[in-house]
Amino acid sequence: MKAAIIGGTGYGSVELVRLINKHPYLEIGSVVSNSQAGVHFNDVYPHLSNIVDQPLETFDANRLSEENEIVFLATPSGVSSKLVPQLVDKGIKCIDLSGDFRLRSSVEYETWYKHPSPEEKYLTKAVYGLSEIYKEEIKESTFIANPGCYPTATNLGLLPILKSKLADENFIIIDAKSGVSGAGRGLSLTSHYSEINENTKAYKLGKHQHIPEIEQVLSDESGNPITVTFTTHLVPMTRGIMCTMYVNLKEKISTQKVIDLYKQFYQESHFIRIRPEGNIPGTKEVMGSNFCDIGLHVDERTNRLTVVSVIDNLVKGAAGQAVQNANLINGWDEQTGLTDIPMYP
């Protein structure tokens, strides 16, 4: 099956290329970048020399739908909302890695993303692609809104305890840290080497666009409206996200009992690894892989649960989950093409 990639020069796109290149049922079709059309992909990314040397193309919905069977969009917010409708209307399968179709409310989208909302009919058509939670819905869909990196790590870490009804839903604090690749390849002062090297910064306090996405999923799955305190930090590493979350418990329960609860919740989920008691994951232990590793600790003194969830922001937080969703909508084993062992050290 030929897979087109739109947004060809970003980190999400090049990660899709890496994963699709070794997928047994997918091959790279068109690679679209309006800003660098005509430039060969391996001139933008020399590490792809003799692997992907085709020229980048301009966006043409007719040509894309004729030459490809599935399209991955790794575009900035506000771009895919204009492109996806043209593709969906032609019946081609679409997986959008941007945030344009994750929120059901057009008002929420415009408030947080500061762009005009996509048309309502496309917002309602998109299925939210948190693979482990909405697997059955994804299988029946041809248009997936791939989750954000922070919401993936956060929601996978929080949902088991929330759905158990053991958590105080009024007190959820999320301390999130990301590597610099999460800011994209574009140049900015924030990701300038001199600014981020040997430095850690909190940013977008109370304003991060992933807040409503996190709250939408948690509210849907708990059955109650949930708001969270969500603080993001940029740390001096290339890949990885660590979300450390704090939840007050309604009753006394041991760490081991919580671990057992999480293992049962994710017993059918290959890519979720629950650590044993006393074993807390680090970002390097999932680097380059589609795994989400979760560590748990109940503080008996405060009766508060700490959840530590780690992912590679470019794989499980973006391209890997997109390929996992492509596997699901095509009826393939969801592990197909995603069996890499994490890179370590």
Side-chain angles (χ1 to χ4, degrees):
M1 179 178 288
K2 282 199 171 182
I5 300 171
I6 300 176
T9 57
Y11 291 143
S13 295
V14 77
E15 194 71 359
L16 280 166
V17 168
R18 183 176 75 89
L19 297 174
I20 292 170
N21 185 64
K22 57 190 176 60
H23 195 288
Y25 308 136
L26 293 173
E27 62 176 304
I28 297 164
S30 306
V31 184
V32 173
S33 174
N34 285 336
S35 64
Q36 297 198 56
V39 177
H40 279 247
F41 203 15
N42 62 342
D43 288 333
V44 180
Y45 285 107
H47 73 287
L48 295 175
S49 295
N50 300 328
I51 301 171
V52 182
D53 59 2
Q54 67 201 65
L56 297 164
E57 304 176 14
T58 56
F59 178 83
D60 183 317
N62 290 324
R63 186 180 70 248
L64 284 170
S65 61
E66 290 169 3
E67 297 178 0
N68 304 274
E69 294 162 90
I70 187 168
V71 176
F72 295 90
L73 296 100
T75 58
S77 296
V79 175
S80 65
S81 61
K82 300 179 180 66
L83 306 182
V84 164
Q86 300 176 57
L87 298 167
V88 168
D89 288 349
K90 292 184 178 301
I92 191 167
K93 298 171 182 176
C94 289
I95 299 178
D96 181 29
L97 281 71
S98 82
D100 283 4
F101 296 93
R102 296 175 191 157
L103 302 180
R104 292 191 298 269
S105 165
S106 57
V107 174
E108 285 274 277
Y109 175 81
E110 292 179 359
T111 299
W112 290 89
Y113 281 87
K114 312 301 182 187
H115 297 297
S117 172
E119 290 183 52
E120 195 76 31
K121 67 176 180 178
Y122 297 105
L123 286 178
T124 56
K125 187 177 180 65
V127 169
Y128 187 70
L130 190 58
S131 307
E132 281 73 23
I133 306 302
Y134 301 114
K135 184 178 297 186
E136 297 308 315
E137 293 89 338
I138 293 165
K139 288 178 180 178
E140 300 301 318
S141 178
T142 56
F143 174 26
I144 305 298
N146 219 57
C149 49
Y150 282 127
T152 295
T154 296
N155 289 325
L156 291 175
L158 287 174
L159 283 174
I161 196 67
L162 279 182
K163 290 180 74 69
S164 74
K165 303 301 181 183
L166 291 169
D168 177 359
E169 296 174 348
N170 298 310
F171 181 91
I172 299 174
I173 294 176
I174 304 158
D175 181 303
K177 298 176 176 67
S178 175
V180 187
S181 62
R185 205 183 190 208
L187 300 177
S188 70
L189 184 61
T190 302
S191 55
H192 192 291
Y193 180 82
S194 297
E195 297 287 329
I196 192 59
N197 182 48
E198 298 183 9
N199 195 12
T200 300
K201 289 184 176 182
Y203 68 100
K204 288 188 178 180
L205 272 68
K207 298 179 181 179
H208 200 286
Q209 68 273 17
H210 286 170
I211 291 173
E213 183 181 342
I214 292 168
E215 293 178 344
Q216 178 177 274
V217 173
L218 296 182
S219 299
D220 285 350
E221 293 303 302
S222 70
N224 299 309
I226 287 181
T227 56
V228 299
T229 298
F230 180 68
T231 303
T232 52
H233 304 78
L234 198 60
V235 297
M237 64 183 184
T238 301
R239 288 174 179 253
I241 278 180
M242 174 180 282
C243 290
T244 304
M245 296 160 279
Y246 307 95
V247 181
N248 286 338
L249 298 172
K250 292 179 180 178
E251 58 186 69
K252 292 287 185 180
I253 184 171
S254 68
T255 297
Q256 187 56 55
K257 290 288 187 183
V258 174
I259 289 171
D260 293 342
L261 184 156
Y262 272 67
K263 284 185 174 180
Q264 182 176 7
F265 189 91
Y266 287 123
Q267 61 183 333
E268 303 297 329
S269 301
H270 171 78
F271 293 114
I272 312 296
R273 304 190 299 188
I274 309 301
R275 295 296 182 88
E277 187 168 357
N279 188 322
I280 303 301
T283 56
K284 183 151 281 195
E285 293 153 13
V286 296
M287 190 169 72
S289 80
N290 200 50
F291 288 112
C292 172
D293 284 11
I294 299 172
L296 301 151
H297 173 72
V298 176
D299 186 334
E300 295 180 358
R301 187 176 60 86
T302 61
N303 201 38
R304 184 172 295 136
L305 171 66
T306 300
V307 182
V308 179
S309 176
V310 298
I311 62 170
D312 184 319
N313 57 295
L314 294 177
V315 189
K316 186 59 172 171
Q321 187 157 221
V323 171
Q324 186 177 356
N325 285 328
N327 289 337
L328 290 171
I329 66 177
N330 285 303
W332 306 327
D333 187 310
E334 66 180 322
Q335 299 178 40
T336 306
L338 295 169
T339 55
D340 282 355
I341 295 171
M343 295 183 288
Y344 196 95

